[in-house]
Amino acid sequence: MTPLYIGSEIYRNSSYGPKHPLAVPRVSVCTDLCRALGWLPDSVYRDAPMPSEDELTRFHDPEYLAALRQAERDQAVSDEVRARFRIGAEGNPVYREVYRRPAISAGGVMLAAHLTANGGIVHCPGGGTHHGRPARASGFCFLNDPVLGLLTWLDLGLDNIVYLDIDAHHGDGVQDAFHDDPRVLTISLHEANRWPHTGDATDRAGGEARNVPLPAGCNDSEFAHVMTNAVLPLIDSRRPQAIMLQAGADGLQEDPLAKLSLSNNAHRAVVQAIRHRAPRLLVLGGGGYNPWTVGRCWALIWGTLNDQPIPDRLPPDAEAGLRALSFERAAGRNPPQHWFTTLLDQPRDGLIRDEVRRLAEANLTA
């Protein structure tokens, strides 16, 4: 089946606020790059829909959803709401689309699950908000669209699913949602000792989780070692009906919120490795706070899913779009030319440390 792409124009001019890490455009950059490269014809594009209340309450508390809608209307919250639901607190700001944007992200992921009911591949870069809790915001995530997508697959009758999370931050909200649920194996490769400070290597979450807390500076070679020697054997032993990949891009070396040292070759290799290991594949976005590296990475994923040749030099429209971006952090003051002209990074290979080898080995033991 031809892969499908789910997007929305809500991301184009939406921002968490000028000083927030999510002030930067991401999904719109990916979409524009894919169109400029000729990889995204209208025939494979789908708009993410606004979900119903019933769909969202499959996981989220109705009172919390009502508080989010009220926050969007009022553009403010009371002290009571802030304390109870963490809206307007701890990096979860009240902003113009504080209900509509996460709801549409969730609608896109649930649509993707329905579209793959009988098999197929869908890329939904607007998804991936893996920290969201049933009744509170957490880690920039107001709703948990991966959980809602996984629940949609379960409701469709699937009972053997792998959720693979390669965001630099542990996918705590998804792991906790499926604690003790044998139908969903959650696997998270994340940076050790980073917020939310969960996902220790010994954390099995009732037996249905594997966690690989990678050391700072983890390079492409180390990431590939973990994938080859731990993750892929786990997936193959399970023979899942579906795989959901949360492809957060904050593990890339240029990201301001993490200290991993990956190139986007690592993400590409993960997609290449898992795309034929289940009849259903759903690829989400997630973290990533440098507009050039995130947009290029997620566009590269879409090209990989479609077996597109990656050009040595981007076409003029793609380059112009990248040059038009701005970034207020230090990396944006003098960006390297390859952020404008290429899609694929130079590999960042290196030595495989003993602690990484031990992590891979530990995740193959019960």
Side-chain angles (χ1 to χ4, degrees):
M1 297 182 182
T2 302
L4 299 175
Y5 183 107
I6 295 178
S8 173
E9 285 299 295
I10 197 168
Y11 305 108
R12 186 168 299 280
N13 298 305
S14 174
S15 167
Y16 276 37
K19 296 184 179 180
H20 196 281
L22 279 175
V24 299
R26 306 178 321 147
V27 178
S28 58
V29 177
C30 172
T31 302
D32 291 348
L33 276 173
C34 293
R35 291 199 185 280
L37 284 157
W39 294 350
L40 191 55
D42 291 344
S43 59
V44 301
Y45 181 89
R46 303 289 185 275
D47 268 318
M50 175 65 74
S52 68
E53 177 90 0
D54 286 346
E55 288 176 302
L56 294 179
T57 54
R58 181 68 176 83
F59 180 65
H60 289 286
D61 182 275
E63 292 186 12
Y64 173 58
L65 296 175
L68 273 178
R69 288 193 294 267
Q70 188 70 38
E72 181 169 296
R73 286 193 295 269
D74 296 346
Q75 288 298 288
V77 293
S78 67
D79 291 343
E80 178 185 358
V81 166
R82 184 180 300 107
R84 179 180 176 188
F85 298 124
R86 314 314 296 160
I87 303 169
E90 299 170 352
N92 311 305
V94 176
Y95 66 101
R96 187 177 57 194
E97 306 91 358
V98 68
Y99 175 76
R100 283 175 293 155
R101 175 168 160 170
I104 286 173
S105 294
V109 177
M110 289 186 283
L111 172 62
H114 282 290
L115 290 171
T116 56
N118 297 314
I121 297 173
V122 179
H123 187 28
C124 187
T129 54
H130 57 171
H131 299 304
R133 300 296 176 151
R136 64 178 170 89
S138 178
F140 312 164
C141 303
F142 294 90
L143 301 178
N144 197 312
D145 56 71
V147 168
L148 288 164
L150 292 165
L151 288 172
T152 302
W153 268 341
L154 294 176
D155 291 344
L156 290 170
L158 277 63
D159 59 7
N160 181 10
I161 300 170
V162 167
Y163 171 78
L164 174 59
D165 191 317
I166 61 173
D167 195 286
H169 301 82
H170 177 233
D172 58 336
V174 182
Q175 176 177 299
D176 290 352
F178 295 100
H179 194 287
D180 323 320
D181 191 333
R183 299 173 298 175
V184 180
L185 172 65
T186 63
I187 306 171
S188 180
L189 281 61
H190 50 272
E191 184 180 339
N193 303 314
R194 182 159 296 283
W195 190 93
H197 304 293
T198 54
D200 184 82
T202 61
D203 182 4
R204 293 287 190 264
E208 302 308 323
R210 294 292 186 274
N211 285 293
V212 186
L214 300 164
C218 177
N219 58 50
D220 290 357
S221 301
E222 292 177 315
F223 203 83
H225 180 83
V226 170
M227 283 294 301
T228 300
N229 293 283
V231 175
L232 296 180
L234 285 170
I235 293 174
D236 290 343
S237 67
R238 190 167 177 114
R239 300 181 66 184
Q241 299 162 315
I243 299 173
M244 179 183 288
L245 172 64
Q246 198 270 22
D250 43 8
L252 300 178
Q253 182 170 285
E254 302 91 346
D255 195 272
L257 294 195
K259 293 184 178 179
L260 301 179
S261 296
L262 303 176
S263 76
N264 60 25
N265 292 270
H267 287 63
R268 187 187 191 199
V270 170
V271 171
Q272 290 171 324
I274 67 172
R275 59 178 296 198
H276 297 304
R277 280 181 151 87
R280 301 164 185 84
L281 174 61
L282 175 47
V283 183
L284 312 181
Y289 307 96
N290 176 323
W292 290 289
T293 57
V294 177
R296 291 167 62 247
C297 181
W298 291 349
L300 177 67
I301 286 173
W302 176 244
T304 302
L305 291 171
N306 287 276
D307 295 315
Q308 292 285 356
I310 308 303
D312 293 330
R313 175 86 185 215
L314 290 172
D317 286 351
E319 181 176 337
L322 291 171
R323 289 188 181 278
L325 296 174
S326 61
F327 188 38
E328 297 303 318
R329 291 181 177 261
R333 294 180 192 136
N334 188 26
Q337 286 299 301
H338 75 271
W339 287 3
F340 306 141
T341 60
T342 65
L343 206 59
L344 188 63
D345 295 335
Q346 289 296 312
R348 295 195 177 106
D349 295 319
L351 295 175
I352 301 172
R353 287 167 282 183
D354 288 343
E355 63 183 300
V356 173
R357 296 182 189 276
R358 290 193 294 270
L359 281 167
E361 183 178 350
N363 272 278
L364 282 176
T365 60

